[in-house]
């Protein structure tokens, strides 16, 4: 499922005959036809073309924005879980504070404060995205620390850094990747929401969120303009969570 | 052979899982009014399932595939694990009172008085009345007494006991067994006692059924079986009981 | 081994029992509430710090944002001064705190020139009503669906409920709102598509669709959790005890099982409240409601940062308070959580 989406996104220029930003004011707000599979929008741009170009933008940002929080989250989570005590207390306080802010509120505020557009999205998620991973990894590594083989590794005189890197990390990574899959869905939805609210990716770069918000004006007559990009988001969400479920099953069986 | 009226009669009972795995085969037994029988056997021999079948509470995956159960009086049951057999969020007095009100069709207030009477009969401390105690605040023996109170609230003609002492301390075991014997003399109910402990069964029961792998392999009067076991498995059970002579002294004393 | 553990536990419990007998129950309860209260206060303190710094750590100068890129240097200096941004950071923070505790707000709105407290208070009723309605819908629907799923395991509803979260996870809440507008507002004409009409009934009526939208985003995860909890409790021994004692199934389900299963789900609801409030802010925008969400967006487009700070603070503190409430409530629902163990 995801493969189809990714290949559509990667090969977008080959698949579509149109440019995503190419306007054709003679052909505006047309319904589906042989020339325009999904019709055209208010500026005569081909909806299907914009849809797959938007997949390019949104998927790229989704993956890039997830890298930093994924790493910091695992790092802080492992430290907090392994050492406990004040590091744990500090990380817990930080997560409690950040979690108290409604997710969209903090995303909107930080994205606004750091300037709209891609950069804002990256900064936002670097700031708030790590919590999810930190929490999961913290719990896991805290329970690993109590296990005997960690104690025996310590007795053998292995340095903490080695234990963390070669013993704890491989054990927490699978779970973190499963979480990553669902978290990416949330992130994608957030990107799209920011786009919809006009503080995410700025037009004319195609993005599902801005497409929906532009289409909302025409909801009375051309309902497909705003609904179809949403289905694209849902499709991606299903694909990612199925992969997450699949991976979780795979590792559970091992 | 039996002169008094039979109160419970099971004929050729067979139980199996929904995917056709035979668990209990051709079990027949009979209990006279006010009498005590014991069903002895190792775990997984189908004793507990037979009890569940009597009270019509088989797990959804297990069905009756043959035989009849004729039961001429109301049944009540006591369970093995008094820790999990009480609703943790409900004060114990209220749990007993609830059963009283449903089984004896009484108002809330009278039910509560009745429930307190029952608990007093079972030797539970007075302070249960003053502040509502929750199950987790009671000891194992106290909880088992509460369970017996719940069973008695049903005014049973037959009391089914599913290993009621297995999860208890040895000293508490003895108290509970003596309590059951005393209540039986006072209230004249029949007792079906399931256990894997031959010593307990022979201390309490006049008639024994030995079960192995879902079948009754030997039955008869307790003294006969103990004195002259026929089946190899029964012999093994008897050999595995260490303090049998002492316990026989206890019966004689009663 | 098991026996041994049980014995140990019993000895432990007996210790508690004798303590209780001496009348310490009230004391343990208030201690656990006190510790929850302290934790909440620490979080609120961190929230205040975070709200203060949020504008300052992220790159980008608020003054330049307010005045635009082409403002003259003298304008910028003047603006800085009037906002107090030319002071050292520590002094700014003291002023911020002073204002917060004296007047309960985060300064005066740059655009409207009234205190943020007044602005937020004006917009609160709509948002609060929306949130309360959304939570009510969420709880009713979630309990109903989870009950059906758990009592008819592997039935149609159960299967649907198990695949539902996978589908809804990727649904942006504003898009769900749009779909509902399209179906119930535009096609079926059952509900107004935006704004609020007069009167209490009118307001409730126009808030129904937004509330359903917000609830929709919460229901799947709650149903999934509640279903799992219900199945867990249904399989427990005490249900068999009650059945064996002849209590009707309906009574067992509502009086015992639901109560036992609801506690972990209540905790999840506490975690989700934060998402729920965030979703509400976004949904107001979709339905054109004049609540805190629309205030936030107008503040954002006019770079009115005291208002933004005020809203952030207000919402975060609300989340902490709701969680505190839930923690205390579950302490009352579950006697085992009261202090011991």
């Amino acid at each position: 499922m995801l493969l189809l989406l990714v290949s559509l996104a990667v090969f977008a220029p080959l698949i579509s005959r149109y440019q995503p930003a190419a306007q054709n004011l003679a052909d505006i707000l047309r319904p589906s036809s042989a020339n325009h599979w999904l019709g055209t929008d208010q500026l005569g741009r081909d909806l299907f073309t914009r849809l797959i170009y938007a997949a390019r933008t949104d998927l790229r940002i989704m993956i890039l924005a997830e890298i930093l929080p994924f790493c910091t989250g695992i790092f802080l989570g492992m430290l907090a879980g392994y050492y406990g005590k004040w590091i744990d207390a500090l990380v817990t306080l930080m997560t409690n504070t950040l979690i108290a802010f409604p997710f969209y509120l903090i995303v909107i505020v930080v994205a606004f404060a750091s300037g709209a557009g891609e950069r804002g999205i990256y900064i936002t998620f670097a700031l708030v995205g790590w919590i999810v991973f930190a929490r999961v990894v913290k719990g896991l590594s805290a329970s690993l620390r109590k296990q005997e083989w960690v104690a025996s590794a310590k007795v053998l005189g292995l340095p903490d850094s080695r234990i963390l890197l070669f013993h704890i990390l491989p054990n927490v990574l699978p779970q973190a990747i499963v979480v990553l899959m669902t978290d990416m869905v949330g992130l994608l939805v957030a990107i799209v929401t920011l786009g919809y609210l006009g503080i995410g990716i700025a037009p004319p770069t195609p993005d599902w969120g801005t497409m929906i918000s532009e289409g909302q004006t025409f909801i009375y007559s051309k309902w497909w303009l705003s609904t179809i990009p949403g289905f694209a988001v849902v499709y991606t969400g299903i694909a990612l969570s199925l992969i997450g479920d699949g991976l979780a099953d795979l590792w559970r069986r091992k | 052979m039996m002169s008094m009226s039979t109160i419970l009669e099971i004929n050729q009972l067979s139980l199996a899982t929904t995917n056709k795995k035979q668990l209990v085969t051709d079990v027949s037994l009979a209990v006279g009014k006010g009498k005590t029988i014991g069903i002895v056997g190792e775990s997984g021999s189908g004793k507990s399932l037979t009890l569940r079948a009597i009270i019509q509470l088989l797990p959804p995956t297990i069905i009756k595939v043959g035989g009849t159960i004729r039961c001429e009086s109301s049944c009540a049951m006591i369970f093995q694990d008094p820790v999990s057999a009480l609703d943790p969020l409900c004060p114990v007095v209220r749990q007993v009172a609830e059963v009283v009100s449903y089984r004896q069709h009484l108002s809330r207030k009278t039910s509560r008085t009745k429930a307190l009477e029952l608990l007093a009969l079972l030797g539970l401390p007075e302070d249960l009345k003053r502040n509502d105690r929750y199950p987790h605040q009671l000891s194992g023996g106290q909880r088992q007494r509460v369970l017996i109170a719940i069973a008695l609230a049903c005014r049973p003609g037959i009391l089914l006991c599913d290993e009621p002492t297995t999860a208890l301390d040895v000293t508490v075991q003895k108290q509970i067994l003596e309590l059951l014997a005393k209540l039986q003399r006072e209230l004249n109910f029949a007792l079906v006692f399931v256990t894997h402990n031959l010593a307990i069964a022979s201390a309490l029961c006049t008639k024994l059924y030995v079960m192995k792998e879902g079948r009754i392999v030997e039955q008869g009067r307790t003294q006969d079986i103990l004195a002259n076991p026929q089946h190899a498995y029964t012999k093994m059970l008897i050999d595995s009981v260490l303090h049998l002579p002492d316990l026989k002294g206890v019966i004689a004393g009663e | 081994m098991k026996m041994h553990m049980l014995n140990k536990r019993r000895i432990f419990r007996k210790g508690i029992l004798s303590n209780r007998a001496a009348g310490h129950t009230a004391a343990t309860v208030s201690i656990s509430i006190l510790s929850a209260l302290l934790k909440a206060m620490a979080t609120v303190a961190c929230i205040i710090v975070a709200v203060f710094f949020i504008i300052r750590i992220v790159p980008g100068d608020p003054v330049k944002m307010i005045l635009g890129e082409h403002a003259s240097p003298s304008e910028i200096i003047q603006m800085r001064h009037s906002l107090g941004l030319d002071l050292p950071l520590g002094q700014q923070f003291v002023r911020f705190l002073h204002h917060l505790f004296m007047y309960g707000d985060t300064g005066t709105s740059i655009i409207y020139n009234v205190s943020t407290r007044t602005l937020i208070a004006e917009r609160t009723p709509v948002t609060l009503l929306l949130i309360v309605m959304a939570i009510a819908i969420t709880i009713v629907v979630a309990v109903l669906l989870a009950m059906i799923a758990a009592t008819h395991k592997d039935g149609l509803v159960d299967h649907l409920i198990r695949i539902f979260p996978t589908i809804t996870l990727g649904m942006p809440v504003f898009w769900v709102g749009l779909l509902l507008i399209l179906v119930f507002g535009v096609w079926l004409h059952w509900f107004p598509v935006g704004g609020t009409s007069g009167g209490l009934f009118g307001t409730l009526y126009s808030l129904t669709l937004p509330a359903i939208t917000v609830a929709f985003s919460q229901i799947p995860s709650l149903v999934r959790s509640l279903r799992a909890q219900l199945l867990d409790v249904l399989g427990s021994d005490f249900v068999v005890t009650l059945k064996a004692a002849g209590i009707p199934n309906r009574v067992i389900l509502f009086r015992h099982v639901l109560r036992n299963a609801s506690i972990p789900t209540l905790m999840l609801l506490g975690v989700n409240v934060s998402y729920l409030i965030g979703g509400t802010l976004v949904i107001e925008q979709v339905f054109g409601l004049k609540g805190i969400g629309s205030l936030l967006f107008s503040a954002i487009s006019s770079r009115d940062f005291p208002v933004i700070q005020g809203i952030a603070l207000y919402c975060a503190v609300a989340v902490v308070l709701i969680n505190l409430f839930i923690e205390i409530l579950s302490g009352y629902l579950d006697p085992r959580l009261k202090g011991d163990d």
Side-chain angles (χ1 to χ4, degrees), chain C residues 48-83:
Chain C
I48 292 172
V49 175
V51 164
F52 173 76
F53 282 103
I54 210 161
I55 301 291
R56 288 162 182 85
I57 22 172
V58 289
D61 182 348
V63 175
K64 272 197 192 133
M65 279 193 197
I66 294 163
L67 293 174
E69 291 294 326
H70 306 294
S72 71
S74 66
E75 273 180 319
I76 292 179
I77 290 170
Q78 205 198 338
M79 184 86 179
R80 265 181 199 286
H81 182 71
S82 67
L83 292 174

Side-chain angles (χ1 to χ4, degrees), chain C residues 103-114:
Chain C
Y103 307 106
D105 66 21
T106 52
T108 306
S109 160
I110 297 169
I111 306 299
Y112 300 99
N113 209 20
V114 279

Side-chain angles (χ1 to χ4, degrees), chain C residues 186-216:
Chain C
V186 179
W187 288 348
L188 296 172
H189 295 291
W190 286 0
F191 291 98
V193 292
T196 46
S197 29
L200 181 66
F201 181 75
T203 313
L204 287 178
Y205 180 57
S206 50
L207 286 181
T208 308
L209 217 47
I212 292 174
T213 313
V214 177
F216 183 85

Side-chain angles (χ1 to χ4, degrees), chain A residues 18-247:
Chain A
Y18 304 93
Q19 282 297 308
Q23 302 182 2
N24 181 357
L25 294 174
D27 251 348
I28 62 168
L29 297 171
R30 288 294 165 88
S32 169
S33 67
N35 276 338
H36 300 284
W37 293 347
L38 294 175
T40 57
D41 69 2
Q42 75 279 12
L43 295 172
R45 298 174 294 193
D46 181 58
L47 191 64
F48 180 69
T49 310
R50 286 183 56 79
L51 205 60
I52 55 181
Y53 272 96
R56 265 186 139 181
T57 334
D58 287 334
L59 292 182
R60 188 191 73 230
I61 296 177
M62 175 184 86
I63 292 163
L64 289 179
E66 196 68 275
I67 297 172
L68 195 60
F70 182 67
C71 298
T72 23
I74 289 181
F75 179 69
L76 287 176
M78 281 203 320
L79 286 188
Y82 186 73
Y83 290 108
K85 298 195 186 100
W86 66 269
I87 300 184
D88 185 18
L90 190 70
V91 171
T92 311
L93 195 62
M94 272 160 77
T95 46
N96 278 349
T97 308
L98 281 174
I99 246 170
F101 291 101
F103 180 65
Y104 279 112
L105 180 81
I106 202 164
V107 166
I108 289 163
V109 169
V110 178
F112 148 72
S114 49
E118 265 191 70
R119 196 178 65 130
I121 296 174
Y122 294 138
I123 295 174
T124 309
F125 290 103
L127 272 177
V128 299
W130 56 273
I131 299 173
V132 193
F133 303 107
R135 289 181 122 195
V136 173
V137 169
K138 193 184 92 181
L140 278 175
S141 37
S143 67
L144 283 173
R145 183 184 54 156
K146 295 193 187 84
Q147 284 176 12
E148 283 185 9
W149 55 265
V150 174
S152 65
K154 270 198 143 166
V155 172
L156 287 172
L158 284 178
D160 283 352
S161 60
R162 224 189 131 76
I163 299 178
L164 277 173
L165 202 59
F166 292 100
H167 300 281
I168 307 270
L169 185 63
N171 277 290
V172 296
L173 211 51
Q175 190 62 44
I177 289 173
V178 170
V179 175
L180 177 71
M181 291 299 153
T182 36
D183 197 55
M184 283 221 273
V185 182
L187 198 132
L188 177 69
V189 171
I191 294 170
V192 173
T193 306
L194 285 176
Y196 171 78
L197 296 171
I199 42 181
I201 300 145
T205 314
D207 155 64
W208 290 329
T210 44
M211 287 172 74
I212 296 175
S213 98
E214 283 166 8
Q216 195 183 355
T217 327
F218 306 99
I219 190 154
Y220 286 95
S221 48
K222 316 279 186 258
W223 53 270
W224 58 87
L225 283 179
S226 51
T227 46
I228 289 176
F231 281 115
V233 182
V234 176
Y235 177 86
T236 318
I238 296 173
L240 283 170
S241 31
L242 285 181
I243 293 175
D245 288 351
L247 286 176

